[in-house]
Amino acid sequence: MTTSAKPNPLMAGPLSTAAPSANDLDAIKRLGEARTRLKSEIAKVIIGQEHIVDDLLTALFSRGHCLMIGVPGLAKTLMVRTIAQAIDLGFNRIQFTPDLMPSDITGTDIIEEDKVNGGRTFRFVQGPVFANILLADEINRTPPKTQAALLQAMQEGQVTVSGRTYDLPRPFFVLATQNPIEQEGTYPLPEAQLDRFMFDIRIRYPKPEEELAIAKATTSDHAVEVSKILNGSEIQQLQQIVRRLPISDHVGMYAVNLARSTRPDDEIAPAFTKNYVSWGAGTRAVQYLVLGAKARAAISGDYHVTVDHVKAVAPLVLRHRVMTNFQAEAEGISPDKIVTMLLEQVTPPKADDYR
């Protein structure tokens, strides 16, 4: 007697073996072309760091938010501002400080006098969070109460002030930065808040030849003009296309197994996870692995999502969701090392699995 396979709720929707529609194929092709033109425009200002640009675009088209960690002076702000210019979106930057209040982010009600009848009314003045792209600079330098105000906006796409709820503009994309060097006087984000960020992106130093090109370009009087490639409406359409992209159960289960392997109490967790990890990635990590893989495929102009697309986003999704223990710290085993070992350990689907 044959039994039908149980449906996987995570992978709900058509399998990648389904014949794509002409409209979907055309949309994916347009997204791949848009990514190429965007990178070309961004490269006029940002020299090198191409993989970082890809990571940011992947998150943007996934409707995810990013945490960017890098030492000062690596053009994090310039990179985000340039992306905002190239896709014709509103951009705001908030410098987080210990005295920043939630209302400094969300906005506040002010009393306004009616010059006609002399009456007074409250008028809401929008805060800097009302932007398409928001750069939260050094988010760990402000107290938890203020951090929570931003994280609520990230999760819900709205802010509530004086009992009234206001929708944020669409698309809405938050990039929060942290300085990995100086930790004195900071308020580290707890694990539950870190989990709200789709990607943890690490900004490295540029290559020597790139650094020379940067020095020459930024010390001249040559002004660079960035052309606008996409607008907000087109971005939202492309975000919907990414979510419609099908994924096979085999690739989806690879993402599930990656996340499960980070959990020390899971039966499939390898020995090094049990030895070095105190807490692993939750279900949101699986969702972001799948969604990130879809976006990675789409911006590359690919219709079919593969294991390679999952692997490309795995370090970005998992590194801030793997909490190592004291033994790992003593032996110099970082979350990045754990993720690298997992990518070598977890078995991807074979060609026969797709038949």
PDB file of all heavy atoms in Angstrom, residues 179-211:
ATOM      1  N   ASN A 179      30.073  48.956  15.978  1.00  0.00           N
ATOM      2  CA  ASN A 179      31.528  49.013  15.953  1.00  0.00           C
ATOM      3  C   ASN A 179      32.052  47.847  16.788  1.00  0.00           C
ATOM      4  O   ASN A 179      31.774  47.769  17.984  1.00  0.00           O
ATOM      5  CB  ASN A 179      31.982  50.360  16.536  1.00  0.00           C
ATOM      6  CG  ASN A 179      33.497  50.496  16.584  1.00  0.00           C
ATOM      7  OD1 ASN A 179      34.232  49.559  16.271  1.00  0.00           O
ATOM      8  ND2 ASN A 179      33.971  51.652  16.991  1.00  0.00           N
ATOM      9  N   PRO A 180      32.802  46.909  16.182  1.00  0.00           N
ATOM     10  CA  PRO A 180      33.240  45.722  16.930  1.00  0.00           C
ATOM     11  C   PRO A 180      34.414  45.985  17.875  1.00  0.00           C
ATOM     12  O   PRO A 180      34.783  45.103  18.650  1.00  0.00           O
ATOM     13  CB  PRO A 180      33.662  44.764  15.813  1.00  0.00           C
ATOM     14  CG  PRO A 180      34.151  45.663  14.725  1.00  0.00           C
ATOM     15  CD  PRO A 180      33.277  46.896  14.789  1.00  0.00           C
ATOM     16  N   ILE A 181      34.996  47.188  17.827  1.00  0.00           N
ATOM     17  CA  ILE A 181      36.208  47.447  18.604  1.00  0.00           C
ATOM     18  C   ILE A 181      35.887  47.957  20.000  1.00  0.00           C
ATOM     19  O   ILE A 181      36.258  47.362  21.010  1.00  0.00           O
ATOM     20  CB  ILE A 181      37.107  48.470  17.873  1.00  0.00           C
ATOM     21  CG1 ILE A 181      37.511  47.938  16.507  1.00  0.00           C
ATOM     22  CG2 ILE A 181      38.336  48.777  18.714  1.00  0.00           C
ATOM     23  CD1 ILE A 181      38.290  48.929  15.679  1.00  0.00           C
ATOM     24  N   GLU A 182      35.186  49.059  20.065  1.00  0.00           N
ATOM     25  CA  GLU A 182      34.964  49.745  21.333  1.00  0.00           C
ATOM     26  C   GLU A 182      33.610  49.354  21.909  1.00  0.00           C
ATOM     27  O   GLU A 182      32.564  49.686  21.358  1.00  0.00           O
ATOM     28  CB  GLU A 182      35.015  51.261  21.101  1.00  0.00           C
ATOM     29  CG  GLU A 182      35.021  52.072  22.371  1.00  0.00           C
ATOM     30  CD  GLU A 182      35.078  53.566  22.088  1.00  0.00           C
ATOM     31  OE1 GLU A 182      35.177  53.951  20.906  1.00  0.00           O
ATOM     32  OE2 GLU A 182      35.012  54.333  23.046  1.00  0.00           O
ATOM     33  N   GLN A 183      33.613  48.645  23.040  1.00  0.00           N
ATOM     34  CA  GLN A 183      32.377  48.161  23.647  1.00  0.00           C
ATOM     35  C   GLN A 183      32.046  48.850  24.966  1.00  0.00           C
ATOM     36  O   GLN A 183      30.998  48.580  25.554  1.00  0.00           O
ATOM     37  CB  GLN A 183      32.477  46.647  23.883  1.00  0.00           C
ATOM     38  CG  GLN A 183      32.667  45.836  22.618  1.00  0.00           C
ATOM     39  CD  GLN A 183      31.547  46.040  21.611  1.00  0.00           C
ATOM     40  OE1 GLN A 183      30.384  46.113  21.951  1.00  0.00           O
ATOM     41  NE2 GLN A 183      31.915  46.166  20.338  1.00  0.00           N
ATOM     42  N   GLU A 184      32.908  49.750  25.421  1.00  0.00           N
ATOM     43  CA  GLU A 184      32.632  50.437  26.682  1.00  0.00           C
ATOM     44  C   GLU A 184      31.453  51.399  26.514  1.00  0.00           C
ATOM     45  O   GLU A 184      31.378  52.161  25.559  1.00  0.00           O
ATOM     46  CB  GLU A 184      33.876  51.230  27.124  1.00  0.00           C
ATOM     47  CG  GLU A 184      33.721  51.877  28.491  1.00  0.00           C
ATOM     48  CD  GLU A 184      34.999  52.561  28.952  1.00  0.00           C
ATOM     49  OE1 GLU A 184      36.045  52.361  28.300  1.00  0.00           O
ATOM     50  OE2 GLU A 184      34.941  53.287  29.949  1.00  0.00           O
ATOM     51  N   GLY A 185      30.517  51.349  27.456  1.00  0.00           N
ATOM     52  CA  GLY A 185      29.369  52.230  27.409  1.00  0.00           C
ATOM     53  C   GLY A 185      28.334  51.834  26.365  1.00  0.00           C
ATOM     54  O   GLY A 185      27.546  52.670  25.931  1.00  0.00           O
ATOM     55  N   THR A 186      28.308  50.567  25.990  1.00  0.00           N
ATOM     56  CA  THR A 186      27.342  50.112  24.986  1.00  0.00           C
ATOM     57  C   THR A 186      26.255  49.269  25.647  1.00  0.00           C
ATOM     58  O   THR A 186      26.383  48.821  26.782  1.00  0.00           O
ATOM     59  CB  THR A 186      28.021  49.282  23.886  1.00  0.00           C
ATOM     60  OG1 THR A 186      28.611  48.114  24.473  1.00  0.00           O
ATOM     61  CG2 THR A 186      29.085  50.095  23.170  1.00  0.00           C
ATOM     62  N   TYR A 187      25.191  49.062  24.895  1.00  0.00           N
ATOM     63  CA  TYR A 187      24.059  48.240  25.343  1.00  0.00           C
ATOM     64  C   TYR A 187      23.855  47.133  24.313  1.00  0.00           C
ATOM     65  O   TYR A 187      23.108  47.315  23.341  1.00  0.00           O
ATOM     66  CB  TYR A 187      22.794  49.086  25.466  1.00  0.00           C
ATOM     67  CG  TYR A 187      22.922  50.282  26.383  1.00  0.00           C
ATOM     68  CD1 TYR A 187      23.440  51.493  25.908  1.00  0.00           C
ATOM     69  CD2 TYR A 187      22.526  50.213  27.715  1.00  0.00           C
ATOM     70  CE1 TYR A 187      23.562  52.597  26.737  1.00  0.00           C
ATOM     71  CE2 TYR A 187      22.639  51.315  28.555  1.00  0.00           C
ATOM     72  CZ  TYR A 187      23.154  52.494  28.057  1.00  0.00           C
ATOM     73  OH  TYR A 187      23.274  53.591  28.884  1.00  0.00           O
ATOM     74  N   PRO A 188      24.547  46.000  24.481  1.00  0.00           N
ATOM     75  CA  PRO A 188      24.467  44.933  23.475  1.00  0.00           C
ATOM     76  C   PRO A 188      23.026  44.489  23.241  1.00  0.00           C
ATOM     77  O   PRO A 188      22.228  44.373  24.177  1.00  0.00           O
ATOM     78  CB  PRO A 188      25.300  43.804  24.083  1.00  0.00           C
ATOM     79  CG  PRO A 188      26.212  44.485  25.054  1.00  0.00           C
ATOM     80  CD  PRO A 188      25.444  45.651  25.596  1.00  0.00           C
ATOM     81  N   LEU A 189      22.700  44.244  21.977  1.00  0.00           N
ATOM     82  CA  LEU A 189      21.367  43.753  21.638  1.00  0.00           C
ATOM     83  C   LEU A 189      21.189  42.338  22.176  1.00  0.00           C
ATOM     84  O   LEU A 189      22.037  41.474  21.933  1.00  0.00           O
ATOM     85  CB  LEU A 189      21.162  43.745  20.125  1.00  0.00           C
ATOM     86  CG  LEU A 189      21.093  45.100  19.421  1.00  0.00           C
ATOM     87  CD1 LEU A 189      21.113  44.886  17.909  1.00  0.00           C
ATOM     88  CD2 LEU A 189      19.857  45.869  19.826  1.00  0.00           C
ATOM     89  N   PRO A 190      20.104  42.066  22.914  1.00  0.00           N
ATOM     90  CA  PRO A 190      19.861  40.692  23.372  1.00  0.00           C
ATOM     91  C   PRO A 190      19.526  39.787  22.198  1.00  0.00           C
ATOM     92  O   PRO A 190      19.194  40.251  21.103  1.00  0.00           O
ATOM     93  CB  PRO A 190      18.668  40.840  24.330  1.00  0.00           C
ATOM     94  CG  PRO A 190      17.998  42.106  23.921  1.00  0.00           C
ATOM     95  CD  PRO A 190      19.070  43.003  23.373  1.00  0.00           C
ATOM     96  N   GLU A 191      19.612  38.481  22.452  1.00  0.00           N
ATOM     97  CA  GLU A 191      19.433  37.505  21.380  1.00  0.00           C
ATOM     98  C   GLU A 191      18.076  37.647  20.688  1.00  0.00           C
ATOM     99  O   GLU A 191      17.971  37.516  19.470  1.00  0.00           O
ATOM    100  CB  GLU A 191      19.591  36.081  21.930  1.00  0.00           C
ATOM    101  CG  GLU A 191      21.024  35.660  22.221  1.00  0.00           C
ATOM    102  CD  GLU A 191      21.574  36.316  23.481  1.00  0.00           C
ATOM    103  OE1 GLU A 191      20.786  36.909  24.256  1.00  0.00           O
ATOM    104  OE2 GLU A 191      22.795  36.246  23.712  1.00  0.00           O
ATOM    105  N   ALA A 192      17.031  37.933  21.464  1.00  0.00           N
ATOM    106  CA  ALA A 192      15.696  38.043  20.870  1.00  0.00           C
ATOM    107  C   ALA A 192      15.612  39.210  19.900  1.00  0.00           C
ATOM    108  O   ALA A 192      14.878  39.150  18.902  1.00  0.00           O
ATOM    109  CB  ALA A 192      14.645  38.206  21.972  1.00  0.00           C
ATOM    110  N   GLN A 193      16.369  40.274  20.154  1.00  0.00           N
ATOM    111  CA  GLN A 193      16.363  41.417  19.245  1.00  0.00           C
ATOM    112  C   GLN A 193      17.295  41.186  18.063  1.00  0.00           C
ATOM    113  O   GLN A 193      17.003  41.604  16.941  1.00  0.00           O
ATOM    114  CB  GLN A 193      16.741  42.685  20.007  1.00  0.00           C
ATOM    115  CG  GLN A 193      15.701  43.077  21.045  1.00  0.00           C
ATOM    116  CD  GLN A 193      16.015  44.393  21.736  1.00  0.00           C
ATOM    117  OE1 GLN A 193      16.998  45.064  21.428  1.00  0.00           O
ATOM    118  NE2 GLN A 193      15.177  44.766  22.685  1.00  0.00           N
ATOM    119  N   LEU A 194      18.414  40.502  18.308  1.00  0.00           N
ATOM    120  CA  LEU A 194      19.293  40.150  17.191  1.00  0.00           C
ATOM    121  C   LEU A 194      18.557  39.295  16.166  1.00  0.00           C
ATOM    122  O   LEU A 194      18.798  39.404  14.963  1.00  0.00           O
ATOM    123  CB  LEU A 194      20.516  39.380  17.706  1.00  0.00           C
ATOM    124  CG  LEU A 194      21.655  40.175  18.336  1.00  0.00           C
ATOM    125  CD1 LEU A 194      22.691  39.222  18.925  1.00  0.00           C
ATOM    126  CD2 LEU A 194      22.305  41.101  17.325  1.00  0.00           C
ATOM    127  N   ASP A 195      17.647  38.454  16.655  1.00  0.00           N
ATOM    128  CA  ASP A 195      16.919  37.544  15.781  1.00  0.00           C
ATOM    129  C   ASP A 195      15.998  38.283  14.820  1.00  0.00           C
ATOM    130  O   ASP A 195      15.546  37.715  13.825  1.00  0.00           O
ATOM    131  CB  ASP A 195      16.105  36.566  16.637  1.00  0.00           C
ATOM    132  CG  ASP A 195      15.655  35.352  15.847  1.00  0.00           C
ATOM    133  OD1 ASP A 195      16.482  34.760  15.133  1.00  0.00           O
ATOM    134  OD2 ASP A 195      14.465  35.002  15.932  1.00  0.00           O
ATOM    135  N   ARG A 196      15.704  39.556  15.087  1.00  0.00           N
ATOM    136  CA  ARG A 196      14.853  40.349  14.191  1.00  0.00           C
ATOM    137  C   ARG A 196      15.585  40.731  12.912  1.00  0.00           C
ATOM    138  O   ARG A 196      14.949  41.109  11.922  1.00  0.00           O
ATOM    139  CB  ARG A 196      14.376  41.620  14.900  1.00  0.00           C
ATOM    140  CG  ARG A 196      13.602  41.377  16.179  1.00  0.00           C
ATOM    141  CD  ARG A 196      12.302  40.673  15.928  1.00  0.00           C
ATOM    142  NE  ARG A 196      11.563  40.433  17.165  1.00  0.00           N
ATOM    143  CZ  ARG A 196      10.442  39.746  17.248  1.00  0.00           C
ATOM    144  NH1 ARG A 196       9.922  39.221  16.158  1.00  0.00           N
ATOM    145  NH2 ARG A 196       9.832  39.562  18.409  1.00  0.00           N
ATOM    146  N   PHE A 197      16.906  40.675  12.938  1.00  0.00           N
ATOM    147  CA  PHE A 197      17.689  41.035  11.757  1.00  0.00           C
ATOM    148  C   PHE A 197      17.864  39.800  10.878  1.00  0.00           C
ATOM    149  O   PHE A 197      18.314  38.749  11.336  1.00  0.00           O
ATOM    150  CB  PHE A 197      19.060  41.587  12.151  1.00  0.00           C
ATOM    151  CG  PHE A 197      19.003  42.951  12.778  1.00  0.00           C
ATOM    152  CD1 PHE A 197      18.982  43.092  14.162  1.00  0.00           C
ATOM    153  CD2 PHE A 197      18.946  44.089  11.994  1.00  0.00           C
ATOM    154  CE1 PHE A 197      18.926  44.344  14.747  1.00  0.00           C
ATOM    155  CE2 PHE A 197      18.875  45.349  12.571  1.00  0.00           C
ATOM    156  CZ  PHE A 197      18.864  45.472  13.963  1.00  0.00           C
ATOM    157  N   MET A 198      17.530  39.947   9.615  1.00  0.00           N
ATOM    158  CA  MET A 198      17.658  38.823   8.694  1.00  0.00           C
ATOM    159  C   MET A 198      19.130  38.438   8.512  1.00  0.00           C
ATOM    160  O   MET A 198      19.481  37.259   8.603  1.00  0.00           O
ATOM    161  CB  MET A 198      17.053  39.191   7.336  1.00  0.00           C
ATOM    162  CG  MET A 198      17.140  38.087   6.307  1.00  0.00           C
ATOM    163  SD  MET A 198      16.382  38.570   4.739  1.00  0.00           S
ATOM    164  CE  MET A 198      16.481  37.020   3.842  1.00  0.00           C
ATOM    165  N   PHE A 199      19.978  39.430   8.257  1.00  0.00           N
ATOM    166  CA  PHE A 199      21.392  39.194   7.975  1.00  0.00           C
ATOM    167  C   PHE A 199      22.284  39.896   8.989  1.00  0.00           C
ATOM    168  O   PHE A 199      21.958  40.981   9.471  1.00  0.00           O
ATOM    169  CB  PHE A 199      21.769  39.724   6.587  1.00  0.00           C
ATOM    170  CG  PHE A 199      21.276  38.901   5.425  1.00  0.00           C
ATOM    171  CD1 PHE A 199      21.380  39.390   4.132  1.00  0.00           C
ATOM    172  CD2 PHE A 199      20.728  37.641   5.601  1.00  0.00           C
ATOM    173  CE1 PHE A 199      20.927  38.662   3.047  1.00  0.00           C
ATOM    174  CE2 PHE A 199      20.278  36.901   4.527  1.00  0.00           C
ATOM    175  CZ  PHE A 199      20.381  37.408   3.236  1.00  0.00           C
ATOM    176  N   ASP A 200      23.388  39.260   9.297  1.00  0.00           N
ATOM    177  CA  ASP A 200      24.495  39.888  10.022  1.00  0.00           C
ATOM    178  C   ASP A 200      25.648  39.974   9.023  1.00  0.00           C
ATOM    179  O   ASP A 200      26.269  38.970   8.675  1.00  0.00           O
ATOM    180  CB  ASP A 200      24.872  39.034  11.233  1.00  0.00           C
ATOM    181  CG  ASP A 200      26.061  39.588  12.015  1.00  0.00           C
ATOM    182  OD1 ASP A 200      26.801  40.440  11.480  1.00  0.00           O
ATOM    183  OD2 ASP A 200      26.268  39.165  13.163  1.00  0.00           O
ATOM    184  N   ILE A 201      25.916  41.187   8.545  1.00  0.00           N
ATOM    185  CA  ILE A 201      26.919  41.399   7.499  1.00  0.00           C
ATOM    186  C   ILE A 201      28.196  41.947   8.127  1.00  0.00           C
ATOM    187  O   ILE A 201      28.159  42.934   8.873  1.00  0.00           O
ATOM    188  CB  ILE A 201      26.395  42.372   6.424  1.00  0.00           C
ATOM    189  CG1 ILE A 201      25.147  41.780   5.744  1.00  0.00           C
ATOM    190  CG2 ILE A 201      27.464  42.689   5.402  1.00  0.00           C
ATOM    191  CD1 ILE A 201      24.498  42.712   4.736  1.00  0.00           C
ATOM    192  N   ARG A 202      29.324  41.348   7.830  1.00  0.00           N
ATOM    193  CA  ARG A 202      30.613  41.785   8.355  1.00  0.00           C
ATOM    194  C   ARG A 202      31.378  42.542   7.263  1.00  0.00           C
ATOM    195  O   ARG A 202      31.608  42.004   6.176  1.00  0.00           O
ATOM    196  CB  ARG A 202      31.438  40.598   8.848  1.00  0.00           C
ATOM    197  CG  ARG A 202      30.719  39.762   9.908  1.00  0.00           C
ATOM    198  CD  ARG A 202      30.400  40.573  11.144  1.00  0.00           C
ATOM    199  NE  ARG A 202      29.499  39.888  12.053  1.00  0.00           N
ATOM    200  CZ  ARG A 202      29.906  39.164  13.103  1.00  0.00           C
ATOM    201  NH1 ARG A 202      31.207  39.012  13.348  1.00  0.00           N
ATOM    202  NH2 ARG A 202      29.015  38.599  13.897  1.00  0.00           N
ATOM    203  N   ILE A 203      31.743  43.773   7.563  1.00  0.00           N
ATOM    204  CA  ILE A 203      32.480  44.606   6.608  1.00  0.00           C
ATOM    205  C   ILE A 203      33.968  44.445   6.870  1.00  0.00           C
ATOM    206  O   ILE A 203      34.450  44.739   7.977  1.00  0.00           O
ATOM    207  CB  ILE A 203      32.092  46.098   6.735  1.00  0.00           C
ATOM    208  CG1 ILE A 203      30.568  46.260   6.753  1.00  0.00           C
ATOM    209  CG2 ILE A 203      32.707  46.907   5.603  1.00  0.00           C
ATOM    210  CD1 ILE A 203      29.890  45.931   5.471  1.00  0.00           C
ATOM    211  N   ARG A 204      34.699  43.984   5.893  1.00  0.00           N
ATOM    212  CA  ARG A 204      36.142  43.760   6.030  1.00  0.00           C
ATOM    213  C   ARG A 204      36.916  44.920   5.382  1.00  0.00           C
ATOM    214  O   ARG A 204      36.359  45.715   4.630  1.00  0.00           O
ATOM    215  CB  ARG A 204      36.548  42.441   5.360  1.00  0.00           C
ATOM    216  CG  ARG A 204      35.683  41.248   5.738  1.00  0.00           C
ATOM    217  CD  ARG A 204      35.806  40.876   7.187  1.00  0.00           C
ATOM    218  NE  ARG A 204      35.014  39.683   7.512  1.00  0.00           N
ATOM    219  CZ  ARG A 204      34.824  39.230   8.745  1.00  0.00           C
ATOM    220  NH1 ARG A 204      35.330  39.887   9.769  1.00  0.00           N
ATOM    221  NH2 ARG A 204      34.087  38.153   8.951  1.00  0.00           N
ATOM    222  N   TYR A 205      38.213  44.959   5.670  1.00  0.00           N
ATOM    223  CA  TYR A 205      39.068  45.954   5.032  1.00  0.00           C
ATOM    224  C   TYR A 205      39.162  45.675   3.530  1.00  0.00           C
ATOM    225  O   TYR A 205      39.151  44.514   3.106  1.00  0.00           O
ATOM    226  CB  TYR A 205      40.475  45.915   5.626  1.00  0.00           C
ATOM    227  CG  TYR A 205      40.565  46.461   7.031  1.00  0.00           C
ATOM    228  CD1 TYR A 205      40.799  45.618   8.114  1.00  0.00           C
ATOM    229  CD2 TYR A 205      40.419  47.829   7.282  1.00  0.00           C
ATOM    230  CE1 TYR A 205      40.884  46.111   9.402  1.00  0.00           C
ATOM    231  CE2 TYR A 205      40.506  48.333   8.564  1.00  0.00           C
ATOM    232  CZ  TYR A 205      40.730  47.468   9.623  1.00  0.00           C
ATOM    233  OH  TYR A 205      40.807  47.976  10.902  1.00  0.00           O
ATOM    234  N   PRO A 206      39.260  46.713   2.712  1.00  0.00           N
ATOM    235  CA  PRO A 206      39.394  46.482   1.267  1.00  0.00           C
ATOM    236  C   PRO A 206      40.767  45.916   0.907  1.00  0.00           C
ATOM    237  O   PRO A 206      41.709  45.982   1.715  1.00  0.00           O
ATOM    238  CB  PRO A 206      39.203  47.891   0.677  1.00  0.00           C
ATOM    239  CG  PRO A 206      39.594  48.824   1.771  1.00  0.00           C
ATOM    240  CD  PRO A 206      39.214  48.148   3.056  1.00  0.00           C
ATOM    241  N   LYS A 207      40.862  45.384  -0.293  1.00  0.00           N
ATOM    242  CA  LYS A 207      42.141  44.883  -0.793  1.00  0.00           C
ATOM    243  C   LYS A 207      43.089  46.055  -1.046  1.00  0.00           C
ATOM    244  O   LYS A 207      42.643  47.191  -1.234  1.00  0.00           O
ATOM    245  CB  LYS A 207      41.926  44.093  -2.087  1.00  0.00           C
ATOM    246  CG  LYS A 207      41.038  42.873  -1.913  1.00  0.00           C
ATOM    247  CD  LYS A 207      40.754  42.213  -3.251  1.00  0.00           C
ATOM    248  CE  LYS A 207      39.807  41.027  -3.098  1.00  0.00           C
ATOM    249  NZ  LYS A 207      39.462  40.406  -4.397  1.00  0.00           N
ATOM    250  N   PRO A 208      44.410  45.816  -1.059  1.00  0.00           N
ATOM    251  CA  PRO A 208      45.368  46.921  -1.239  1.00  0.00           C
ATOM    252  C   PRO A 208      45.117  47.755  -2.491  1.00  0.00           C
ATOM    253  O   PRO A 208      45.140  48.989  -2.440  1.00  0.00           O
ATOM    254  CB  PRO A 208      46.720  46.203  -1.307  1.00  0.00           C
ATOM    255  CG  PRO A 208      46.517  44.931  -0.549  1.00  0.00           C
ATOM    256  CD  PRO A 208      45.091  44.540  -0.795  1.00  0.00           C
ATOM    257  N   GLU A 209      44.827  47.080  -3.612  1.00  0.00           N
ATOM    258  CA  GLU A 209      44.597  47.828  -4.854  1.00  0.00           C
ATOM    259  C   GLU A 209      43.295  48.628  -4.776  1.00  0.00           C
ATOM    260  O   GLU A 209      43.195  49.727  -5.335  1.00  0.00           O
ATOM    261  CB  GLU A 209      44.580  46.887  -6.063  1.00  0.00           C
ATOM    262  CG  GLU A 209      43.512  45.813  -6.053  1.00  0.00           C
ATOM    263  CD  GLU A 209      43.943  44.537  -5.336  1.00  0.00           C
ATOM    264  OE1 GLU A 209      44.942  44.597  -4.578  1.00  0.00           O
ATOM    265  OE2 GLU A 209      43.278  43.506  -5.538  1.00  0.00           O
ATOM    266  N   GLU A 210      42.303  48.078  -4.062  1.00  0.00           N
ATOM    267  CA  GLU A 210      41.053  48.811  -3.873  1.00  0.00           C
ATOM    268  C   GLU A 210      41.277  50.013  -2.959  1.00  0.00           C
ATOM    269  O   GLU A 210      40.720  51.097  -3.194  1.00  0.00           O
ATOM    270  CB  GLU A 210      39.993  47.889  -3.275  1.00  0.00           C
ATOM    271  CG  GLU A 210      39.554  46.769  -4.215  1.00  0.00           C
ATOM    272  CD  GLU A 210      38.651  45.752  -3.536  1.00  0.00           C
ATOM    273  OE1 GLU A 210      38.588  45.762  -2.296  1.00  0.00           O
ATOM    274  OE2 GLU A 210      38.019  44.947  -4.262  1.00  0.00           O
ATOM    275  N   GLU A 211      42.087  49.832  -1.933  1.00  0.00           N
ATOM    276  CA  GLU A 211      42.357  50.931  -1.004  1.00  0.00           C
ATOM    277  C   GLU A 211      43.073  52.078  -1.707  1.00  0.00           C
ATOM    278  O   GLU A 211      42.804  53.258  -1.437  1.00  0.00           O
ATOM    279  CB  GLU A 211      43.182  50.414   0.175  1.00  0.00           C
ATOM    280  CG  GLU A 211      42.974  51.193   1.442  1.00  0.00           C
ATOM    281  CD  GLU A 211      43.280  50.384   2.680  1.00  0.00           C
ATOM    282  OE1 GLU A 211      43.825  49.271   2.571  1.00  0.00           O
ATOM    283  OE2 GLU A 211      42.968  50.882   3.765  1.00  0.00           O
TER     284      GLU A 211
END
